[in-house]
Amino acid sequence: MITINENYLKLEQNYLFSKIGKKVEEFQLKYPSKNLIKLGIGDITRPIPRTILEAIHKAIDEQSSISGLKGYGPEQGYGFLRKVIVKNEYSKFDIQEDEIFISDGAKCDTGNIVEIFSKENVVGIMNPVYPVYEDTNKMSGKENIVYLIANENNEFKPDIPKEKIDIIYLCFPNNPTGTVLNRQELTMWVEYAIKNKCIILFDAAYEAFIEGDEIPHSIYEIDGAKQVAIEFKSFSKTAGFTGLRCSYTVIPKQVIGYTSEGIKIQIHNLWKRRQSTKFNGTPYIIQRAAEAVYTEQGQKEIKENIEYYKENAKIIREGLINKGYKVIGGKHAPYIWVKVPKKYTSWDFFDILLEKYGIIGTPGVGFGEYGEGYFRLTAFGSRQDTIEAIKKIDEQEKV
Ligand code: MLT
């Protein structure tokens, strides 16, 4: 008789965005002519920049010759991509090329990394939170989860825990609340991690939305972070790769974990070992596309798209504030976290906006119980849809 991994039974029945997708599909079957405004899942809508497309075409054409053909690539990524990542993002922190692991998505890496840590670890996860961190810990049977509560009292930035935690997930700019940590706040987390021999898994997927240099763009800007932090970065929202799939994980060799006997082990080596067995690399064509992001023209083009989304965030943020809503995020971040009118739960608000106006957002409670009473909108829609949605949300309140 086949027995299953019963940890899966501890999960919500459906992944948040699958549940929303199903509701929307049912709605569309019922009202096929209704126009939908999609501000739910953070998926890009601007076309892929020309320089990136040219790199893809070129890499495809290379495959037509024996000399240009690429089969299996290095599991940790091609040297040409790791090199430009280090040069453009990490040389100032003295991160080496072999400390960069190319992958096919920060979602996969933040999810897969749980395997290299033992079940006994105490894991600190924000609430509300991007559901992947919690789901994947539960899937792997980790039961010691401490919720780092983010709510109005702490401006949706969790307090430094009083208890001892071994692994801490931080995502800043935050998904779902759009909050950011300043240098002093991030320093407190790094100091906590050093003091408690803990690892910080720092999801920096939305770093490109930070304006100026006051807010740290990388956790390695903080002294000591190279001993305790792993950073996850993605081309998805930065350069339009949600469909192309490319990301990377930075694991400095100083980051260590311990065996049950207290022997020090490099986390870098464990992850390398895991990826070599389980991952065959991001496609060459896609890695060439990611390389093109770092050309002068590539940077110009991706920045135009980021500015477009930032302007959407501003329109949502200021539009709703002007209408009297309490709004968090939307500055240095593509997510806007809105307090729903008291009479509704966040799923009520979702249903009303969908059924009345065809607007799709994400109910806060989908990110954890402390998300109840809030609603997430993304800045990744088209300009027209963004403006239209704000107008309609305002009308809704006047009904
Ligand atoms: C989100 O909407 O939270 C993200 O787009 C999901 C993801 O990046 O996987």
Side-chain angles (χ1 to χ4, degrees):
M1 184 181 75
I2 293 171
T3 55
I4 58 148
N5 176 353
E6 291 190 23
N7 294 319
Y8 276 66
L9 305 180
K10 297 176 194 152
L11 305 173
E12 291 279 321
Q13 199 184 355
N14 292 302
Y15 182 59
L16 172 62
F17 293 108
S18 313
K19 181 170 171 180
I20 292 173
K22 193 156 179 287
K23 270 182 170 268
V24 171
E25 204 182 303
E26 283 165 9
F27 178 81
Q28 272 181 312
L29 280 175
K30 228 160 119 193
Y31 307 102
S33 59
K34 183 106 180 167
N35 271 345
L36 292 180
I37 298 182
K38 297 181 180 166
L39 304 181
I41 191 162
D43 200 1
I44 50 122
T45 51
R46 304 297 299 153
I48 312 282
R50 189 178 49 83
T51 304
I52 296 173
L53 290 178
E54 281 169 6
I56 293 175
H57 285 296
K58 188 163 168 269
I60 289 173
D61 288 342
E62 282 177 45
Q63 307 311 304
S64 66
S65 72
I66 290 174
S67 62
L69 176 70
K70 293 285 181 298
Y72 294 124
E75 298 102 357
Q76 328 310 345
Y78 282 96
F80 61 78
L81 181 55
R82 297 165 105 186
K83 199 186 188 82
V84 289
I85 290 172
V86 167
K87 181 164 172 251
N88 288 276
E89 317 258 8
Y90 291 102
S91 56
K92 50 189 174 289
F93 311 123
D94 197 26
I95 297 274
Q96 306 301 308
E97 282 170 34
D98 66 351
E99 293 173 313
I100 308 284
F101 293 82
I102 309 297
S103 175
D104 58 354
K107 177 179 185 172
C108 317
D109 282 6
T110 52
N112 289 330
I113 201 137
V114 299
E115 292 180 21
I116 63 171
F117 300 113
S118 84
K119 277 210 296 218
E120 285 66 41
N121 284 296
V122 180
V123 184
I125 296 180
M126 285 176 68
N127 189 323
V129 75
Y130 177 44
V132 171
Y133 316 147
E134 184 175 354
D135 280 2
T136 53
N137 273 282
K138 286 187 175 167
M139 285 170 177
S140 75
K142 294 195 176 53
E143 283 171 351
N144 302 326
I145 296 179
V146 171
Y147 292 100
L148 309 171
I149 292 156
N151 58 17
E152 267 180 50
N153 298 338
N154 55 23
E155 296 177 334
F156 288 92
K157 299 178 196 186
D159 301 328
I160 300 289
K162 299 216 172 13
E163 62 272 72
K164 201 172 164 328
I165 294 179
D166 305 304
I167 300 171
I168 292 179
Y169 287 80
L170 295 179
C171 170
F172 289 101
N174 186 254
N175 179 13
T177 65
T179 49
V180 286
L181 292 187
N182 65 31
R183 205 166 295 279
Q184 196 190 354
E185 289 161 339
L186 192 52
T187 301
M188 282 160 66
W189 284 101
V190 171
E191 285 173 352
Y192 172 90
I194 293 171
K195 188 168 153 221
N196 291 286
K197 293 199 167 96
C198 146
I199 283 182
I200 297 176
L201 302 178
F202 192 73
D203 186 347
Y206 302 99
E207 172 272 323
F209 291 83
I210 297 174
E211 287 184 26
D213 290 330
E214 243 163 67
I215 308 289
H217 287 248
S218 163
I219 194 163
Y220 303 120
E221 289 181 31
I222 309 299
D223 280 349
K226 272 174 69 183
Q227 295 166 48
V228 289
I230 294 176
E231 182 159 285
F232 301 90
K233 292 284 288 282
S234 169
F235 292 97
S236 286
K237 317 291 158 78
T238 309
F241 276 57
T242 53
L244 299 178
R245 311 305 307 150
C246 194
S247 68
Y248 57 90
T249 293
V250 185
I251 311 188
K253 294 195 183 121
Q254 293 98 309
V255 180
I256 51 161
Y258 299 84
T259 66
S260 52
E261 270 124 39
I263 299 166
K264 289 181 180 175
I265 304 285
Q266 267 186 354
I267 296 297
H268 180 275
N269 280 345
L270 292 188
W271 183 244
K272 188 169 171 192
R273 188 65 192 81
R274 189 260 172 214
Q275 292 293 81
S276 314
T277 294
K278 293 201 176 182
F279 186 54
N280 254 342
T282 305
Y284 170 77
I285 293 161
I286 300 301
Q287 293 193 54
R288 281 292 184 200
E291 181 192 25
V293 168
Y294 292 105
T295 59
E296 204 181 319
Q297 184 61 20
Q299 284 291 298
K300 184 169 167 285
E301 291 169 11
I302 67 157
K303 280 181 184 149
E304 277 164 19
N305 284 350
I306 292 168
E307 286 310 316
Y308 179 97
Y309 297 133
K310 276 188 187 167
E311 182 62 23
N312 282 352
K314 190 166 172 225
I315 290 169
I316 299 174
R317 186 184 152 82
E318 291 180 0
L320 292 177
I321 289 175
N322 287 341
K323 285 161 187 162
Y325 282 85
K326 180 167 174 58
V327 176
I328 287 112
K331 249 185 186 171
H332 306 289
Y335 293 122
I336 302 96
W337 189 241
V338 188
K339 189 163 185 172
V340 305
K342 266 212 166 70
K343 55 189 165 186
Y344 306 127
T345 66
S346 59
W347 274 114
D348 287 343
F349 200 61
F350 173 89
D351 288 335
I352 291 167
L353 291 190
L354 177 63
E355 279 158 28
K356 268 199 175 154
Y357 304 112
I359 298 173
I360 305 162
T362 310
V365 75
F367 298 101
E369 67 179 293
Y370 286 87
E372 184 51 282
Y374 283 83
F375 198 71
R376 193 194 77 172
L377 293 168
T378 93
F380 292 112
S382 71
R383 180 63 44 80
Q384 202 189 342
D385 279 358
T386 302
I387 293 171
E388 189 68 12
I390 299 311
K391 224 171 85 201
K392 287 179 167 172
I393 292 175
D394 187 39
E395 280 168 20
Q396 149 61 29
E397 251 324 86
K398 290 183 185 136
V399 174

